[in-house]
């Protein structure tokens, strides 16, 4: 009796699959939604172009959120190493090499006159690091040097979460701390 039920279910499933592909369907696993079927977290399907496209979109959204949460100045939030307007300067190549070979332990310091592109390069380097080296739970903080010192100074004599120690701990425990002039 159960064998007959299973056989009918298998036949219906095969017919549905055949109709799906006959109508131009590409991925039976996700039914062309880009998300794994039956997955409550909605993870991207790894079997089809729609899932790969969704993965790219989710990664880009994660990077945008991390850049905003880090405190990158809005003017520089969209800068990338490939869109940086002054790629001919020596520092651009050096920053690209640094980021591509970054081992999570070395630091980078950019020194130069006002207006030569240090902040833009830092923002572009951060974006590339977030895209290639970081996951979604790693914390990055962007501070101007003056703001960091003022924030720490404001914590003197305070207690709890507003204390100097708490503020210093927040800055020192970030996976990546970027100080801009």
């Amino acid at each position: 009796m159960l064998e007959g039920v299973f056989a009918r279910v298998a036949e219906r499933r095969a017919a549905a699959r055949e109709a799906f592909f006959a109508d131009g369907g590409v991925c039976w696993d996700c039914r062309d939604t880009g998300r794994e079927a039956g997955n409550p977290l909605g993870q991207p399907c790894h079997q089809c172009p729609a899932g790969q496209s969704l993965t790219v979109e989710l990664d880009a959204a994660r990077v945008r959120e991390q850049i905003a949460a880090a405190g990158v100045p809005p003017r520089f939030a969209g800068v990338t190493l490939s869109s940086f307007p002054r790629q001919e300067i020596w520092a651009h190549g050096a920053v690209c090499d640094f980021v591509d070979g970054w081992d999570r332990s070395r630091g980078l310091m950019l020194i130069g006159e006002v207006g030569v592109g240090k902040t833009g390069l830092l923002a572009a380097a951060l974006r590339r690091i977030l895209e290639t080296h970081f996951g979604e739970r790693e914390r990055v903080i962007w501070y101007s040097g003056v703001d960091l010192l003022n924030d720490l100074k404001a914590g003197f004599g305070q207690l709890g979460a507003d204390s100097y120690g708490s503020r210093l701990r927040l800055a020192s425990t970030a996976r990546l701390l970027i100080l801009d002039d």
Side-chain angles (χ1 to χ4, degrees):
M1 171 129 169
L2 282 178
E3 290 176 10
V5 171
F6 288 137
R8 284 192 302 274
V9 168
E11 287 173 10
R12 287 186 188 138
R13 193 170 173 87
R17 182 181 171 109
E18 188 175 312
F20 173 78
F21 287 117
D23 287 340
V26 176
C27 181
W28 179 251
D29 290 343
C30 71
R31 310 304 192 273
D32 291 342
T33 65
R35 295 193 183 269
E36 292 178 351
N39 187 328
L41 297 177
Q43 296 297 316
C45 175
H46 299 291
Q47 305 299 320
C48 67
Q52 293 167 358
S53 177
L54 180 60
T55 298
V56 169
E57 290 174 27
L58 292 173
D59 285 345
R62 173 189 57 85
V63 169
R64 282 192 304 273
E65 289 172 11
Q66 286 176 301
I67 285 174
V72 175
R75 172 178 157 199
F76 298 103
V79 177
T80 67
L81 288 172
S82 59
S83 72
F84 188 73
R86 301 191 56 213
Q87 294 183 21
E88 76 283 352
I89 63 173
W90 172 86
H92 181 270
V95 168
C96 288
D97 291 344
F98 172 82
V99 170
D100 291 340
W102 189 54
D103 63 1
R104 293 179 164 245
S105 65
R106 296 179 314 151
L108 173 68
M109 182 183 295
L110 299 178
I111 300 171
E113 300 294 319
V114 172
V116 297
K118 299 179 302 292
T119 301
L121 272 176
L122 282 174
L126 171 60
R127 177 176 290 280
R128 173 81 59 87
I129 286 171
L130 291 173
E131 291 169 346
T132 59
H133 296 288
F134 273 27
E136 66 184 72
R137 298 187 194 277
E138 295 183 277
R139 191 165 44 90
V140 175
I141 297 177
W142 179 293
Y143 258 121
S144 76
V146 172
D147 287 344
L148 175 61
L149 292 175
N150 285 338
D151 200 27
L152 292 173
K153 182 180 170 186
F156 288 130
Q158 301 295 319
L159 299 174
D162 289 334
S163 72
Y164 170 81
S166 293
R167 292 170 188 228
L168 182 61
R169 195 166 17 288
L170 179 69
S172 64
T173 58
R175 184 65 193 113
L176 183 61
L177 176 64
I178 297 176
L179 295 176
D180 187 25
D181 62 358

